[in-house]
């Protein structure tokens, strides 16, 4: 798949870049995309939820009523789960929700997500550029030039660039990442994928089988 390369003013440079069909032109696999997104969201969960169980409640251990003959449920002490204020039975405990996915599965999920964007003509390739200093206004001008204002945007750079990141940080619906941090969730969550020329090469180097 061949895509024209634009500059940050939205003008065609006359250059074209070939998007590798093994990354941007495969038949997407919906199930592996689901698994990769599920793993990403699971890893974002703090897992700090906690409720007190019977042994953790402060209270007397005196037996309230006799075991039999009262006509109601038996209860040992005031911390019994059947009483208001008692401990919770099998309550949530702190845990890690992360789960393992094989590397080949995650690679296939990323290629599937990128292929979806290519099929939707939602991939823009721009020349490599740098910013001398963080400036949100300059990044907004780039958005206007590329006609992508108001869309969920994933901007992928060859390497992390602090000035570009800080310039886009306060803009809604815009995320800037390095090619090494590219993941299935970020790609699927974006409406438009903007890649620098260097990012295209870096993505291919990461995903093409050696």
């Amino acid at each position: 798949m061949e895509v024209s390369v634009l500059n940050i003013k939205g003008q065609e440079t006359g250059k074209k870049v070939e998007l590798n069909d093994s990354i941007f032109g495969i038949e997407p696999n919906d199930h592996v995309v689901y698994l990769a997104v599920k793993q990403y969201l699971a890893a974002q969960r703090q897992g700090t939820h906690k409720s007190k169980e019977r042994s953790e409640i402060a209270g007397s251990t005196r037996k309230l009523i006799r075991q039999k003959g009262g006509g109601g449920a038996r209860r040992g002490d005031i911390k019994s789960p059947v009483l208001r204020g008692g401990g919770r039975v099998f309550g949530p405990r702190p845990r890690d929700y992360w789960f393992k996915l094989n590397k080949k599965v995650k690679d296939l999920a990323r290629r599937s997500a990128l292929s979806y964007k290519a099929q939707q003509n939602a991939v823009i390739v721009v020349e490599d550029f740098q910013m001398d200093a963080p400036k949100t206004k300059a990044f907004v001008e780039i958005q206007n030039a590329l006609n992508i204002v108001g869309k969920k945007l994933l901007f992928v750079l060859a390497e992390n660039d602090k000035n570009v990141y800080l310039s886009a940080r306060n803009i809604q619906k815009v995320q800037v990442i390095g090619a090494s941090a590219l993941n299935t969730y970020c790609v699927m969550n974006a409406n438009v994928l903007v890649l620098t020329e260097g990012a295209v090469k870096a993505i291919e180097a990461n995903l093409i089988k050696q």
Side-chain angles (χ1 to χ4, degrees):
M1 178 181 176
E2 204 172 55
V3 178
S4 298
V5 179
L6 308 178
N7 59 26
I8 57 175
K9 294 182 180 179
Q11 302 165 340
E12 290 198 15
T13 61
K15 296 186 291 184
K16 292 185 181 294
V17 64
E18 186 70 29
L19 300 181
N20 195 297
D21 286 340
S22 66
I23 298 175
F24 294 89
I26 69 168
E27 181 65 31
N29 186 316
D30 290 341
H31 185 62
V32 296
V33 170
Y34 158 75
L35 291 176
V37 170
K38 182 180 178 182
Q39 185 200 40
Y40 178 88
L41 293 176
Q44 305 308 303
R45 298 183 68 173
Q46 286 187 316
T48 54
H49 39 37
K50 178 71 174 72
S51 66
K52 290 187 177 182
E53 298 188 357
R54 184 170 187 161
S55 63
E56 299 167 316
I57 295 290
S60 172
T61 58
R62 177 180 66 87
K63 189 167 177 65
L64 299 178
I65 59 174
R66 61 181 185 173
Q67 181 79 351
K68 291 179 177 292
R74 54 191 164 181
R75 59 199 64 169
D77 54 46
I78 204 165
K79 298 184 288 183
S80 171
V82 302
L83 295 177
R84 181 174 180 177
R88 183 170 176 182
V89 180
F90 303 127
R93 294 183 176 185
R95 56 167 291 195
D96 183 1
Y97 284 89
W98 181 86
F99 61 91
K100 182 180 182 299
L101 276 185
N102 291 335
K103 186 174 184 295
K104 288 183 179 180
V105 172
K106 292 199 285 187
D107 285 349
L108 177 58
R110 277 183 288 179
R111 293 203 306 272
S112 296
L114 291 169
S115 295
Y116 267 127
K117 294 305 173 189
Q119 290 175 6
Q120 297 164 2
N121 293 320
V123 178
I124 298 174
V125 180
V126 298
E127 284 184 319
D128 292 324
F129 69 95
Q130 292 181 335
M131 287 185 170
D132 296 330
K135 196 168 184 181
T136 302
K137 183 178 178 180
F139 196 91
V140 171
E141 289 174 354
I142 295 175
Q143 284 185 277
N144 288 326
L146 296 174
N147 196 27
I148 50 177
V149 175
K151 298 179 180 178
K152 275 190 178 179
L153 170 64
L154 179 63
F155 211 103
V156 186
L157 308 174
E159 297 179 352
N160 291 327
D161 188 316
K162 186 175 181 181
N163 288 338
V164 176
Y165 169 76
L166 292 176
S167 298
R169 183 173 59 175
N170 289 335
I171 304 175
Q172 288 186 340
K173 300 181 181 180
V174 175
Q175 184 179 8
V176 176
I177 62 174
S180 60
L182 187 72
N183 62 76
T184 305
Y185 176 81
C186 290
V187 175
M188 295 302 294
N189 191 45
N191 296 134
V192 179
L193 188 62
V194 180
L195 309 175
T196 63
E197 288 182 280
V200 173
K201 295 176 182 177
I203 291 169
E204 290 179 352
N206 289 338
L207 294 180
I208 292 178
K209 296 180 181 178
Q210 302 295 329

